[in-house]
Amino acid sequence: SAVTYETTPRTADQVITTSSAYYGPRIDYDPNTLAVKGLLIEEARTNLSYPSLVGATWASMGMSITANNAVSYDGTTNGALLTESAGAAQHEAYSGNVPVTVAGSTYTYSFFIKPGTRRYIQLSGGGSFASGAFGVVVDTTTNPVSVVGTGANGTASYTSSSVQALSAGFYRVNVTGVASSTTGYALIDGVGSTAWSSSPTSSGSQTVYVADTQIELGSFGTSLIRTAAASVTRAADVVQFTGAALTALQGSAASFIKEWTSGVSAASNAYIFSAVGGAGLRIWTSTSYRLTNGTNTIDAVLPSGNIQQLQRTGFAFSGAGRSVVASGGSVATDANGAAMSGAIHFGSAGGSAAFINEHVKSFAIYNQRLVDGTLQSKSVVGASY
């Protein structure tokens, strides 16, 4: 069949760069179903682990590392095979480069692993070997992989953990804790039981696959920042409204509805949108939202009482007052104005704080105040805009 091609680039297809890099919106997708998750908005983070891919620069004790041995979650063959040496002993792989951590600060370690023949795997960080580490033990025979043990030693402390299923049989295990050392190794051990240990041992020679590791200063993990010869910082996703959308939100009457997936990484007081002077809509607690004009506030409660799911949030305002609703729940109203002015940021407060750190699936802006009944019906997940 006939094939056409471009002789002149269209701006809709590509962005021509000259003296500086261009960072466009990050549209993310589910690695299992390939369904679009939406626009990803995250705060700035640095991956202190380098290289992030497990390979030749990693060190081991009683374990061999074979890089580029398995198809990974990203479709490449960068999954490394870790094989324990025969015999009962300590079997461990760890980052050869030692990232600098701050004792007493909270870090999140992320391990991208795939089950092999070893049932129990210990994943630790926050310190070096048996000194000042925290971590978890996961059972690779469960689906999904499950955390079956936690622990810490020295002045380090374990805080929380989570498991995310990826594609190609891989999982991301996030482990959060307080570091007690300035050496923040990422440690991967084969263990023989569910108990976390400062000196783990097991009987070889079992296997596990590992792709990437990430070490972040913060209480939750963000999207992977791949590194090579040094740590890498990802800039914050700063999103602002322009054109007709900005004009509507700055008008005397408008409505805004957003469908999004919020999770544990979206902290209280994260802004869904914010304007100059502190006006905006934000996550107030784990179960409600707060609309503020910088002086007066109004809250909407989530019907389910659980913020960790796909949901919609809507607000509307005019000279007669404001309305806010969460996922088809009760509409909260008052008689105060909204007073939106200046730059209006999407998913953060002023583009420098209170990031939602989550995906926005869709949203709609109206240049009028929708009546409460309409606002409520359109705030139901999946409803027509």
Side-chain angles (χ1 to χ4, degrees), residues 6 8-25:
E6 294 181 2
T8 302
R10 299 183 306 169
T11 56
D13 296 328
Q14 57 186 299
V15 177
I16 305 300
T17 58
T18 54
S19 59
S20 61
Y22 168 77
Y23 298 93

Side-chain angles (χ1 to χ4, degrees), residues 303-326:
S304 66
N306 181 5
I307 208 169
Q308 299 171 31
Q309 61 185 5
L310 183 66
Q311 59 190 273
R312 278 197 188 186
T313 308
F315 96 104
F317 71 90
S318 67
R322 306 174 300 170
S323 301
V324 59
V325 61

Side-chain angles (χ1 to χ4, degrees), residues 22-40:
Y22 168 77
Y23 298 93
R26 292 195 291 159
I27 306 300
D28 200 11
Y29 66 96
D30 186 292
N32 295 307
T33 65
L34 302 185
V36 175
K37 288 184 176 181
L39 174 65
L40 179 58

